[in-house]
C-alpha cells in the first residue's frame, strides 16, 4: 500500500489554482482519464473517469481518503452501457461552467419555491384542481416547511460504503468517477451534471439541498446516472409523521418520484416507502 503519496499529476489538474498542493492519495487507481466538458470550462477538466467498471471495495477506500485527497468518488451509470461514448460521462456531456456555487443558495427557500410551482396547475394540466390537491394531501398547496433533523444508528460514511457495494453487486457495469469537491453534494455541481435539467438548469441548487440533507439525515451522494441520483441515508424517517414531512421535501426536489411512481401517486403512499429506507433514489423525466 502506498503511504502519503502525492496526487498523480493528471489528478492535480482537477483542482483550481494551487488547491491541489498537499493533497495525497494512497489508493492505486485503475486505468482512466480526465474528461473535458463539451463546452469551455477554462481548460479545466470536469472529472476523472475509469476506463472500465469499478472494482468492488474501491469506492469505500476512495471515500475514506476524501479528506486527504479532496476527491469525492461517484459510481457513474450511462444512458446506455453498450454505448462506447458512455454518455454523459465519457463524452463530456456536462456543463460545470453553468452551475452556481451551492453555498450561495438557501435550501428551505429553494424547496418552498419548487413546492409552490409543482402544486400549481397550468392549462396543460391533466389533473383537476381537486385531484392535484389530493396528490399532496394533507398539505395541499401549503408548504409544510423543512422536516426536523433525524438521528441515525449508523455512521453516514459507513452507510454510504455499504450502499456502494450493494449498488455494484446489482449493477456491475458502473464506472468510477472522481470529482475535486469539498463534499459529496458539491460534486454534482463541480462535475456539471445536468440530470435535473427539466426541473432546474442549475445543479448548484440541487447540491445546496443535498448539503442540507447531509446534515439533517446523514445523506451521502453515491451514484449518478444520466438523469438519476442515488443517496445513502443513515437517518431515514421511522414514523409516519417523519416520513410524510420528508416526502414533502422529496416532492419539491423531484416531483417525478411521486407523479410517475407506483400507484396511487400520492405523497402519503410515497411516504410509506421512505420508512426505514437507507437509500433514496431520484429521477427526472
Amino acid at each position: 500500500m502506498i503511504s502519503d503519496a502525492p496526487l498523480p499529476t493528471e489528478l492535480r489538474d482537477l483542482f483550481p489554482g494551487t488547491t491541489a498542493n498537499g493533497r495525497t492519495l494512497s489508493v492505486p487507481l485503475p486505468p482512466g482519464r480526465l474528461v473535458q466538458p463539451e463546452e469551455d470550462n477554462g481548460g479545466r477538466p470536469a472529472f476523472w473517469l475509469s476506463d472500465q467498471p469499478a472494482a468492488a471495495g474501491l469506492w469505500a477506500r476512495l471515500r475514506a481518503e476524501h479528506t486527504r485527497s479532496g476527491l469525492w468518488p461517484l459510481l457513474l451509470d450511462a444512458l446506455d452501457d453498450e454505448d462506447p461514448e458512455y454518455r454523459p460521462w465519457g463524452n463530456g456531456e456536462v456543463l460545470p461552467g453553468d452551475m452556481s456555487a451551492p453555498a450561495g443558495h438557501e435550501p428551505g427557500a429553494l424547496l418552498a419555491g419548487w413546492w409552490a410551482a409543482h402544486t400549481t396547475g397550468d392549462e396543460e394540466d391533466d389533473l383537476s384542481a381537486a385531484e392535484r390537491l389530493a396528490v399532496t394531501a394533507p398539505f395541499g398547496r401549503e408548504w409544510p416547511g423543512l422536516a426536523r433533523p433525524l438521528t441515525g444508528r449508523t455512521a453516514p460514511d459507513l452507510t454510504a460504503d455499504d450502499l456502494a457495494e450493494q449498488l455494484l453487486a446489482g449493477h456491475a457495469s458502473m464506472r468510477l468517477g472522481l470529482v475535486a469537491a469539498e463534499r459529496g453534494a458539491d460534486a454534482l455541481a463541480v462535475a456539471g451534471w445536468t440530470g435535473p435539467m427539466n426541473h432546474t438548469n442549475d445543479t448548484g441548487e440541487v447540491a445546496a439541498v443535498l448539503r442540507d440533507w447531509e446534515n439533517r439525515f446523514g445523506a451521502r451522494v453515491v451514484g449518478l446516472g444520466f438523469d438519476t441520483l442515488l443517496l445513502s441515508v443513515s437517518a431515514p424517517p421511522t414514523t409516519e409523521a417523519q416520513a410524510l414531512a420528508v416526502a414533502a421535501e422529496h416532492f419539491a426536489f423531484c416531483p417525478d418520484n411521486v407523479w410517475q411512481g407506483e400507484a396511487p401517486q400520492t405523497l402519503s403512499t410515497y411516504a410509506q416507502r421512505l420508512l426505514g429506507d437507507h437509500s433514496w433514489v431520484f429521477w427526472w423525466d
Side-chain angles (χ1 to χ4, degrees), residues 109-133:
L110 287 172
L111 289 169
W114 291 335
W115 174 275
H118 302 330
T119 56
T120 302
D122 56 43
E123 58 184 18
E124 298 181 0
D125 199 345
D126 293 331
L127 299 178
S128 67
E131 288 172 329
R132 179 168 286 279
L133 289 175

Side-chain angles (χ1 to χ4, degrees), residues 2-3 11 61-62 85 102 104 121 123 134-136 138 175 182 212-213 217 232 234 246 264 267:
I2 303 172
S3 177
L11 294 183
R61 294 171 64 193
L62 288 165
E85 289 193 330
E123 58 184 18
V135 170
T136 51
R175 297 193 194 180
E182 180 181 342
D212 196 36
W213 287 354
F217 309 122
S232 65
S234 67
V246 172
L267 204 65

Side-chain angles (χ1 to χ4, degrees), residues 16-32:
T18 60
T19 56
N21 291 349
R23 297 289 186 182
T24 62
L25 182 66
S26 64
V27 178
L29 294 177

Side-chain angles (χ1 to χ4, degrees), residues 71-219:
L71 298 169
W72 186 262
L74 296 170
L75 293 177
L76 301 176
D77 192 18
L79 183 62
D80 178 359
D81 288 347
E82 302 301 321
D83 180 0
E85 289 193 330
Y86 206 74
R87 293 181 59 204
W89 313 109
N91 66 336
E93 200 173 326
V94 292
L95 299 171
D98 289 0
M99 308 308 172
S100 62
H105 303 283
E106 202 288 301
L110 287 172
L111 289 169
W114 291 335
W115 174 275
H118 302 330
T119 56
T120 302
D122 56 43
E123 58 184 18
E124 298 181 0
D125 199 345
D126 293 331
L127 299 178
S128 67
E131 288 172 329
R132 179 168 286 279
L133 289 175
V135 170
T136 51
F139 306 122
R141 291 187 60 188
E142 181 179 354
W143 167 238
L146 296 179
R148 293 182 179 181
L150 300 176
T151 302
R153 296 181 179 178
T154 59
D157 290 335
L158 296 182
T159 303
D161 294 347
D162 289 343
L163 181 59
E165 289 307 288
Q166 294 173 32
L167 183 58
L168 279 177
H171 196 164
S173 63
M174 299 186 80
R175 297 193 194 180
L176 176 71
L178 292 175
V179 184
E182 180 181 342
R183 51 203 294 177
D186 293 3
L188 278 65
V190 174
W193 179 58
T194 61
M197 67 183 306
N198 290 333
H199 177 60
T200 173
N201 290 325
D202 184 0
T203 308
E205 296 179 343
V206 172
V209 173
L210 297 184
R211 278 181 161 213
D212 196 36
W213 287 354
E214 286 177 345
N215 296 332
R216 285 190 289 135
F217 309 122

